[in-house]
Amino acid sequence: MSEVKKWEESVMMRAARGLPVSRVPVWLMRQAGRYMPEYREVRQKTTFLELCKNPPLAAEVMLTAVDKLKVDAAIIFSDLLPILEPMGFPLEFSVSDGPVIHSPLRTAEDLTRVCELRDVSPLDYVLETVRKTREGLDESLPVIGFAGAPFTLAGYAVEGGTSRDFRQTKLLMYSQPDVWHEFLRRIAVSVANYLIAQADAGAQILQIFDSWVGCLSCGDYRQYVLPHSKTIIDLVRESCPNTPIIHFGTGNPMLLPMLREAGGNVIGADWRIAIDDAWAMIGHDRAIQGNLDPIVLLSDLKTIERQTHAILQKTAHRAGYIFNLGHGILPQTPVEHVAALVEIVKAFPMEQRIA
Ligand code: CP3
């Protein structure tokens, strides 16, 4: 029998498995980022992509954030998009426009240069970041590995960058469905291998980000996306049966039951739906994560506390709730507000829970 690791009994791991906890776990998407002076200082000396490719420094950035905020998990410091490079899409992060993906995919011919990653060694630097983060983190806390979901990654690869309406992406999906499905299949296999490698390198939990999927209708999600997201989760499940998976999407709460159908032990919800309604839609046999609006953190401590308590009062009475924002922390957020939020969640008296 191998010894039970300390992180197994953490509130984060227990909630992700749907088990009762002594208090609600909390971590925050983009918990290491531009809102933090320490991060901005690191970024003065290196570009964002260089930072992602420097495992000791990437690990240090996240460990510093975890130490400062006292959150219940460390997500590795990386990004959704580096996986696109070895798949055939050169990548750049420009200061003004965010990510730029050169030679975006638009045609059947473009598909011939898209690699399906069976061997994820071009992303060894991410796996090294997982190892370094695990080494440096207190044993009582889990490390979260992550990757983009097929729709969100395809969105960047087809648009060539950030998009408001994903026009080219949907156009490809509607007018060349065979190209679309083959592209998403290659992404799904690549992402599954990448996530499995992260778990092997020492990640205890895996999160799949479908950040932009909410621009789709339910019918289109089911037809064009769900089978590919499901492929990832099924493949990861097969290789890592005990690693909880968080499946996160934003934008269209009506998709939540289908995110559940595609899979995941924990379903992530944004702020557009009340968290108890979201949980009822997903089903209480799954865990849930979310859903404070990140803009609340720009307000004042009283408002932050009121909004946070409102969420906790709707969720903390059930096993399987993980506190988080509905999307990432905004760069303009005051650091003291973020630290105060973590304290508010941790101090929430469990006797206030609805019986
Ligand atoms: O959560 C964390 O602190 C861990 C690190 C992390 C980053 N990106 C760091 C980052 C994670 C988990 C991500 C995921 C990611 N990347 C998502 C999913 C989450 C979400 O917000 O929906 C997405 C869509 C991306 C793609 C991406 N990365 C964009 C569009 C941009 C540019 C716009 C922006 O917000 O800056 C990035 C850059 C990025 N990723 C930064 C950081 C800290 C800022 C880069 C900088 O320092 O200039």
Side-chain angles (χ1 to χ4, degrees):
M1 279 283 282
S2 62
E3 67 176 302
V4 176
K5 294 288 190 184
K6 235 175 135 193
W7 57 67
E8 275 300 327
E9 278 308 308
S10 65
V11 283
M12 179 68 196
M13 284 304 277
R14 289 185 58 87
R17 297 191 193 286
L19 299 171
V21 286
S22 53
R23 63 167 180 81
V24 170
V26 49
W27 72 280
L28 305 164
M29 291 183 276
R30 295 280 180 106
Q31 61 195 17
R34 282 163 299 179
Y35 79 100
M36 252 188 195
E38 293 87 342
Y39 176 81
R40 290 198 299 270
E41 201 171 303
V42 168
R43 277 281 283 105
Q44 288 196 334
K45 296 175 213 128
T46 170
T47 68
F48 175 62
L49 258 188
E50 276 166 9
L51 173 55
C52 290
K53 294 180 181 182
N54 180 339
L57 196 55
E60 186 190 311
V61 161
M62 184 49 69
L63 294 169
T64 303
V66 170
D67 193 47
K68 187 160 171 167
L69 299 174
K70 312 286 180 226
V71 283
D72 292 310
I75 188 163
I76 56 162
F77 189 87
S78 182
D79 198 74
L80 296 192
L81 303 179
I83 194 174
L84 291 177
E85 282 185 320
M87 289 190 72
F89 300 93
L91 172 68
E92 210 183 312
F93 280 84
S94 92
V95 180
S96 46
D97 306 327
V100 181
I101 291 95
H102 300 290
S103 50
L105 179 134
R106 299 284 163 83
T107 64
E109 207 203 329
D110 292 336
L111 194 57
T112 58
R113 60 179 166 84
V114 176
C115 298
E116 177 178 317
L117 293 183
R118 302 222 158 243
D119 165 14
V120 297
S121 58
L123 295 162
D124 270 347
Y125 60 89
V126 179
L127 307 180
E128 187 57 19
T129 298
V130 175
R131 282 188 284 270
K132 287 257 179 311
T133 307
R134 184 60 276 170
E135 269 167 40
L137 188 68
D138 193 292
E139 272 207 15
S140 63
L141 301 177
V143 169
I144 305 173
F146 73 90
F151 179 82
T152 292
L153 287 176
Y156 283 108
V158 174
E159 302 295 334
T162 304
S163 170
R164 193 186 279 257
D165 57 11
F166 293 90
R167 198 174 298 193
Q168 298 291 344
T169 311
K170 289 186 185 182
L171 196 58
L172 180 77
M173 185 176 95
Y174 292 132
S175 55
Q176 301 185 76
D178 294 348
V179 175
W180 173 261
H181 280 295
E182 177 55 21
F183 184 35
L184 265 71
R185 192 195 61 75
R186 288 185 203 179
I187 294 176
V189 173
S190 307
V191 167
N193 290 330
Y194 180 43
L195 287 171
I196 292 164
Q198 290 183 45
D200 288 346
Q204 282 70 52
I205 299 178
L206 298 168
Q207 175 153 331
I208 300 170
F209 286 89
D210 217 345
S211 302
W212 310 127
V213 75
C215 68
L216 295 179
S217 71
C218 294
D220 287 345
Y221 180 80
R222 176 174 294 290
Q223 183 176 350
Y224 295 107
V225 177
L226 190 153
H228 304 290
S229 293
K230 186 170 185 307
T231 297
I232 296 177
I233 295 166
D234 289 349
L235 287 170
V236 174
R237 201 30 75 252
E238 223 170 86
S239 291
C240 321
N242 297 317
T243 307
I245 296 170
I246 305 172
H247 188 183
F248 166 76
T250 77
N252 179 0
M254 295 306 285
L255 296 178
L256 287 169
M258 280 186 282
L259 292 187
R260 176 221 155 100
E261 200 178 319
N265 308 69
V266 185
I267 306 299
D270 73 7
W271 61 88
R272 293 174 176 88
I273 178 169
I275 189 93
D276 48 344
D277 292 340
W279 210 346
M281 278 173 82
I282 292 160
H284 296 119
D285 58 336
R286 300 292 172 105
I288 191 167
Q289 171 176 284
N291 76 336
L292 187 73
D293 188 332
I295 293 174
V296 170
L297 284 178
L298 304 183
S299 68
D300 54 89
L301 290 176
K302 256 205 151 89
T303 308
I304 293 167
E305 184 173 62
R306 185 169 44 78
Q307 293 253 4
T308 302
H309 281 171
I311 290 174
L312 289 165
Q313 268 149 10
K314 290 179 183 142
T315 49
H317 60 292
R318 250 182 235 287
Y321 172 60
I322 299 165
F323 190 93
N324 206 316
L325 306 178
H327 208 158
I329 298 178
L330 297 165
Q332 304 76 13
T333 308
V335 182
E336 321 78 72
H337 288 186
V338 182
L341 170 67
V342 174
E343 279 178 27
I344 292 165
V345 179
K346 287 186 161 185
F348 187 71
M350 290 305 251
E351 56 273 22
Q352 270 194 23
R353 300 183 301 179
I354 306 158

